[in-house]
């Protein structure tokens, strides 16, 4: 029998293959996963709830199915962590906040969880999140902040808001996990924790059963060990759901068929960053190496200046998000702000200060800017944009400026309803992950994943798990 820990370290598809071929079992994989969580979670603080009994029962059922020569799907027996703004039957959905502690456990899985279970995945627990998913550094002084797994000596930020999932996958506790991305909340933890993160195009994955922050920007996506793992998880989640009107009319995509097609013949636009954005030299060097590798592999690289500055997209996206956040959760910030952390209360409550006329003007401006950005890419023959996911590596928690803008390189993707994939391409001298971001227009997710896979190969494969 193959050691379950070894196949888990390779990723979700490797784990499913080992189970399918009889080299290990779903129960062995789950026991290994639960043991690793028990050994590491007190330090990493990735999981807020572990569903050990449920996971074991699910694994035994899947092994019985396997014994009859059948399989539930491409993720048969693969453990998955679920961000705690996503409903899992029998569990509370706390959204990182004590303001929801009084709520009962939910009775049904979210759409995306249902889809993954149908493909054979096993939910092993709920992962921590920033309060109401509103924050990019990954900090949560109320429920607790997960710790970046790539530095045992200095506690560093994990990225948010899908902080627990980023840490769980980055540390190898699970090979895949759920995140949500409103302004970078899949890609930021992916970048800082050294995983692949796929921010799906708006409308590809139903948000039914997910606590909303801003439905005009919210998307669901995987964090995973490899690009292929992320592509399979996303593929499983795709589909139209009447409970989420944004999925109406979404195209059927095949995210896997061209994954290994490479970049020959593609034109990649290297985004010209604002002069005010300081990129760490080690990050810049790794990004330049990846540019060169993709060019050598046959891509044409050209510099692209977006119609607006990244700061403009980021600020205006933030204003619209705050108004929606105030609409949905503002009573907490206004009536009992002490139950929220100061920065969560400030971000949510800030929407009350934005007049309706400014909000609706912002909505109209967004539509015009999205059309302009799409036209720029189409007229220039640009297949994808490439840039760093984050301009700096993970920072010590003591150095975090909550007033800063961790999503300065990610939020424009949500604003324009595009797709974004973050893939690790190196490490700093201190061993901290550096990630490359591939951005494509809406519904061009297969192309983004294809380019990210080429970048992953150029980097030598996924980052080794931290020891």
């Amino acid at each position: 029998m193959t050691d379950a820990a070894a196949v888990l370290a390779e990723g979700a598809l490797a784990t499913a293959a080992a189970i399918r071929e009889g080299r290990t079992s779903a129960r062995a994989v789950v026991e290994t996963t639960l043991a690793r969580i028990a050994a590491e979670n007190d330090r990493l603080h990735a999981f807020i709830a572990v569903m050990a009994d449920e996971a074991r029962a699910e694994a035994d059922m899947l092994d019985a199915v396997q014994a009859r020569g059948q399989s539930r799907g491409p993720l048969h027996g693969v453990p998955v962590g679920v961000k705690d703004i996503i409903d899992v039957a029998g569990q509370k959905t706390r959204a990182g906040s004590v303001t929801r502690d009084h709520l009962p456990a939910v009775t049904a899985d979210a759409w995306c969880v249902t889809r993954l279970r149908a493909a054979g995945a096993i939910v092993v627990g709920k992962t921590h999140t920033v309060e109401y998913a509103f924050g990019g550094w990954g900090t949560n002084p109320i429920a607790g902040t997960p710790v970046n797994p790539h530095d045992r000596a200095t506690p560093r930020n994990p990225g948010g808001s899908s902080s627990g999932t980023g840490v769980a996958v980055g540390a190898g506790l699970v090979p895949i996990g759920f995140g949500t991305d409103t302004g970078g909340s899949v890609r930021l933890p992916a970048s800082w924790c050294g995983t692949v993160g796929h921010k799906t195009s708006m409308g590809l994955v139903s948000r039914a059963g997910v606590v909303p922050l801003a439905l005009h920007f919210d998307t669901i996506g995987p964090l995973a060990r490899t690009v292929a793992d992320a592509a399979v998880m996303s593929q499983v989640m795709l589909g139209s759901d009447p409970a989420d009107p944004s999925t109406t009319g979404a195209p059927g995509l095949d995210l896997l068929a061209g994954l290994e097609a490479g970049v020959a013949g593609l034109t990649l636009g290297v985004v010209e960053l604002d002069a005010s954005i300081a990129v760490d030299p080690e990050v810049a060097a790794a990004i330049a190496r990846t540019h060169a590798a993709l060019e050598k592999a046959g891509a044409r690289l050209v510099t692209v200046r977006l119609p607006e500055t990244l700061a403009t997209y980021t600020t205006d996206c933030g204003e619209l998000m705050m108004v929606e956040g105030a609409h949905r959760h503002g009573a907490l910030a206004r009536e009992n702000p002490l139950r929220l952390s100061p920065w969560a209360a400030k971000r949510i409550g800030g929407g009350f200060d934005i007049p309706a006329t400014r909000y609706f003007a912002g909505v109209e401006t967004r539509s015009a800017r999205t059309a302009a950005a799409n036209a720029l890419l189409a007229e220039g023959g640009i297949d994808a944009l490439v840039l760093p996911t984050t301009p700096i590596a993970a920072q010590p928690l003591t150095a975090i400026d909550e007033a800063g803008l961790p999503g300065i390189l990610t939020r424009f993707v949500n604003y324009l309803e595009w797709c974004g994939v973050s893939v690790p391409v190196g490490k700093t001298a201190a061993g901290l992950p550096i990630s490359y971001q591939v951005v494509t227009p809406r519904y061009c997710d297969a192309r983004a994943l294809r380019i990210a896979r080429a970048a992953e190969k150029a980097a030598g494969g996924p980052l080794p798990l931290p020891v």
Side-chain angles (χ1 to χ4, degrees), residues 181-396:
D181 195 313
T182 306
S185 290
V186 161
R187 289 159 292 154
L188 294 174
S191 177
W192 280 317
C193 292
T195 81
V196 175
H198 176 201
K199 178 236 170 288
T200 55
S201 291
M202 173 63 71
L204 280 186
V205 179
S206 170
R207 284 89 48 95
V210 180
V211 178
L213 171 58
L215 284 176
H216 284 90
F217 302 99
D218 294 344
T219 56
I220 298 172
L223 290 98
R225 281 284 290 142
T226 70
V227 173
D229 287 352
V232 168
M233 183 171 168
S234 291
Q235 185 72 56
V236 165
M237 291 190 289
L238 302 188
S240 178
D241 176 17
D244 183 352
S246 76
T247 64
T248 301
L253 300 181
D254 187 340
L255 303 181
L256 304 172
L259 197 61
E260 300 292 342
V263 293
L266 297 181
T267 298
L268 308 182
V270 179
V271 176
E272 184 177 296
L273 306 185
D274 303 359
S276 60
I277 300 174
V279 178
D280 180 88
E282 288 186 287
V283 173
I287 299 303
R289 287 194 298 270
T290 305
H291 288 339
L294 295 181
E295 197 165 35
K296 184 177 180 180
R300 182 173 74 99
L301 270 66
V302 297
T303 301
V304 171
R305 177 181 291 181
L306 292 170
E308 307 292 336
T309 65
L310 293 171
T312 297
Y313 292 125
T314 299
T315 300
D316 291 359
C317 181
E319 281 206 351
L320 297 179
M321 286 165 53
M322 284 196 295
V323 173
E324 288 201 51
H327 164 64
R328 299 186 187 283
H329 310 299
L332 299 172
R334 182 171 264 176
E335 296 170 10
N336 198 355
L338 295 180
R339 299 193 70 201
L340 294 170
S341 69
W343 279 101
K346 183 179 180 65
R347 289 167 187 144
I348 293 172
F352 290 123
D353 299 328
I354 299 170
T357 50
R358 194 160 109 201
Y359 173 78
F360 282 104
V363 170
E364 292 179 356
T365 298
R366 180 193 183 196
S367 296
R369 286 176 177 164
T370 299
N374 284 324
L376 174 72
L377 269 58
E379 293 166 6
I382 307 297
D383 294 297
L385 301 177
V386 288
L387 69 163
T389 311
T390 53
I392 55 175
Q395 298 295 292

Side-chain angles (χ1 to χ4, degrees), residues 133-150:
F134 210 165
W137 293 113
T139 53
N140 187 330
I142 302 296
T145 297
V147 177
N148 193 298
H150 289 273

